[in-house]
Amino acid sequence: KMVFFFTLHSDPTLLCYVGRDKYENEDLIRWGWPEDVWFHVDNHSSAHIYIRLRKGQTLNELPDDVIEEAAQLTKANSIAGNKLPNIRVVYTLWGNLKKTAGMDVGQVGFHNSKEVRHVLVAKRKNDVINRLEKTREERSPDFQAEREQRDREEIHENKMQTLQAREEEKARIEEAKALAKLRSYDSLQDTNLMTTNTDNQNLEDDFM
């Protein structure tokens, strides 16, 4: 199956991709990543545009120029939306997409409508679209394999972080024990608890 990839002028390091038709969209819905942001023209048929955030990056951190560029690409890939002025493009994280058995191929809903954002696109910007089209690449990725690999890496990373946290906690406990022992030793050296020379003299007098 073919998927189109684009290079964003606003941030070339972010992955941007779109399914060629509703059947590809179905695969993208199924095998998307938690880091993916989904874009679609509101109330009109359109392509499903995805922007993949960096690990740990939040939706609030997605720059406005990236959102605008993705929204322009979404509008351009909608037969109706491309012709209309002042259309709304909705976007949300992939994890908020909801697919139920009764939906058509490529159709989605939302788990939480409050997590859906929108941006108004007043008109098509040909310079933005032309620049994006020059970067278009057709690929046939195995999204299932890529998602499964991503999950394996995340599980491994979480395990390593857990092990590191345990080692750090163990080291902290050992350090606390060592410090407590040192303090206990210091108390034995307290001059108030040690025998003085005067006390020794008194002891000697008893034997004279």
Side-chain angles (χ1 to χ4, degrees), residues 18-185:
V18 51
R20 184 174 61 179
D21 56 35
K22 62 182 181 180
Y23 298 102
E24 273 73 36
N25 287 339
E26 196 71 14
D27 274 352
L28 301 186
I29 293 167
R30 183 178 182 184
W31 299 111
W33 289 23
E35 294 82 13
D36 286 345
V37 183
W38 173 89
F39 290 79
H40 195 275
V41 173
D42 195 21
N43 297 322
H44 293 285
S45 176
S46 80
H48 295 203
I49 307 294
Y50 289 86
I51 303 293
R52 183 161 295 166
L53 300 176
R54 299 179 185 86
K55 196 77 174 287
Q57 188 177 11
T58 67
L59 192 56
N60 290 331
E61 296 170 334
L62 193 62
D64 290 341
D65 54 349
V66 172
I67 295 172
E68 181 182 0
E69 192 170 6
Q72 281 288 331
L73 185 60
T74 308
K75 174 180 170 62
N77 283 275
S78 170
I79 295 174
N82 191 42
K83 301 174 183 177
L84 297 173
N86 299 318
I87 59 106
R88 287 204 328 169
V89 170
V90 294
Y91 62 100
T92 191
L93 287 171
W94 169 84
N96 193 36
L97 300 180
K98 181 176 69 175
K99 184 74 180 181
T100 59
M103 290 180 173
D104 292 335
V105 175
Q107 184 181 8
V108 294
F110 307 111
H111 292 290
N112 186 354
S113 59
K114 293 181 180 180
E115 297 297 323
V116 180
R117 307 184 185 190
H118 69 272
V119 57
L120 181 67
V121 183
K123 63 179 182 178
R124 172 180 168 130
K125 294 183 178 180
N126 289 325
D127 58 330
V128 174
I129 299 305
N130 292 339
R131 187 168 57 215
L132 282 167
E133 286 296 332
K134 291 179 181 179
T135 70
R136 180 202 292 254
E137 292 183 28
E138 288 190 19
R139 305 180 199 168
S140 300
D142 188 336
F143 276 99
Q144 179 179 353
E146 290 182 2
R147 173 59 195 270
E148 290 173 349
Q149 177 64 24
R150 176 229 174 256
D151 290 347
R152 283 192 295 270
E153 290 176 357
E154 183 177 66
I155 291 171
H156 176 72
E157 181 180 346
N158 290 339
K159 285 182 178 179
M160 295 303 295
Q161 289 177 351
T162 300
L163 288 173
Q164 182 178 356
R166 288 177 181 173
E167 290 298 322
E168 290 175 352
E169 178 64 12
K170 182 179 178 180
R172 186 192 67 79
I173 293 174
E174 292 299 325
E175 183 180 1
K177 287 181 178 179
L179 183 59
K181 185 176 180 179
L182 181 62
R183 288 174 176 170
S184 177
Y185 177 78

